[in-house]
Amino acid sequence: MALRLVQVNFKARDDAALGRFWAGALGYGMSSEGPGVTNLEPEGIAWPDPDGFYVDLVKVPDPETVRYRVRLDLATTSPEHQAELVARLRKLGATPADAERGDGPWVVLADPEGNVFRVLEPREAHRDTGPIAAVVVGCADPRALAAFWGEAVGWAVHEAGDERAVLRSSRGVGPFLEFARQESGAGPVRSRIHIDLIPSRGQEQAAEVARLLKLGARPADVGQGEVSWVVLADPEGNEFCVLGPGSSPSA
């Protein structure tokens, strides 16, 4: 498969401050390729190492207030680790959050700019994901959206149901990609977090974009102007970027 899920991208009011929070939360290194862009990467792994999963934070004038369509779930290795991580995140600036909490042994928090995430209880499936257990996308039809994304990135379906569907790289590295049923609200849904994909070495960005359009993606205009990446939306309208083979992680 010629595309790889390489990172999540946050819109931020203050990319450096939010970057410091997430670097501390994940144990990632922090750098900047230019004003208004903060790059986070696992220690000892440089972009775009295929074993790395990255986080970008890009400053925008005023991120819109939105329903939380995409979130991160963080992994823990023991009840003690979960408690320690929650305490550390609180010291870094996280606050308790009840948004769509549901019932479970996880802890729901919000980062300093209000992005909701969960600190999960220990799970055997997450022992080798790294600090990010899953990227979770809210949607109306988890089964159908997982089918699209499975074809898009060539990931195996681990679970598929009406309420939840889960994908994982066949290489067994990095976070899971999860689709969770979420009731739609009134008006358009925009997210402050999106997924970035990158073509494998030697693959053409244009060919991959054409393939995704045939699978059911559609072009998206978010005011990006002339850029090296292509912005698309999946069949439920979740925007994502397809980077060029030589792109930096600032899309």
Side-chain angles (χ1 to χ4, degrees):
M1 180 55 59
L3 281 175
R4 180 164 61 88
L5 196 161
V6 69
Q7 70 181 10
V8 289
N9 185 301
F10 284 71
K11 298 182 179 74
R13 294 184 180 90
D14 186 333
D15 61 288
L18 194 60
R20 285 190 292 272
F21 170 84
W22 281 104
L26 303 173
Y28 275 21
M30 179 175 168
S31 62
S32 176
E33 67 192 70
V37 180
T38 296
N39 314 117
L40 307 183
E41 55 190 35
E43 294 287 357
I45 296 180
W47 172 274
D49 190 305
D51 288 334
F53 186 78
Y54 306 84
V55 177
D56 254 20
L57 304 103
V58 179
K59 185 175 182 177
V60 296
D62 185 18
E64 63 270 28
T65 300
V66 297
R67 295 173 64 245
Y68 297 102
R69 193 72 182 264
V70 181
R71 70 164 193 266
L72 301 184
D73 280 353
L74 305 188
T76 62
T77 58
S78 68
E80 293 77 18
H81 180 211
Q82 184 186 28
E84 182 276 331
L85 180 56
V86 169
R88 179 158 56 86
L89 291 165
R90 294 293 302 275
K91 288 182 179 179
L92 288 170
T95 54
D98 294 326
E100 301 180 10
R101 182 184 188 282
D103 295 322
W106 49 77
V107 178
V108 184
L109 299 173
D111 72 17
E113 291 202 6
N115 300 296
V116 172
F117 64 98
R118 299 193 306 180
V119 181
L120 299 180
E121 76 287 357
R123 299 182 184 182
E124 178 63 22
H126 297 156
R127 61 184 175 83
D128 58 357
T129 61
I132 302 174
V135 178
V136 184
V137 181
C139 61
D141 189 340
R143 194 191 303 271
L145 205 56
F148 167 83
W149 279 97
E151 289 288 335
V153 296
W155 283 17
V157 178
H158 280 240
E159 177 183 338
D162 293 335
E163 298 297 319
R164 180 172 178 263
V166 181
L167 307 178
R168 183 81 190 281
S169 166
S170 59
R171 297 177 62 239
V173 298
F176 287 78
L177 182 57
E178 179 177 329
F179 301 93
R181 189 171 183 276
Q182 178 177 306
E183 296 296 334
S184 61
V189 175
R190 298 289 295 278
S191 180
R192 288 175 60 183
I193 305 173
H194 70 258
I195 291 169
D196 284 346
L197 307 178
I198 192 169
S200 301
R201 182 173 300 176
Q203 298 295 331
E204 293 294 333
Q205 180 191 44
E208 286 304 307
V209 169
R211 184 176 66 85
L212 291 167
L213 293 173
K214 287 182 179 179
L215 289 174
R218 61 181 184 270
D221 186 351
V222 295
Q224 64 266 27
E226 293 295 325
V227 292
S228 62
W229 54 89
V230 178
V231 184
L232 300 175
D234 71 18
E236 288 207 17
N238 299 296
E239 292 151 3
F240 63 97
C241 294
V242 181
L243 309 182
S247 295
S248 66
S250 61

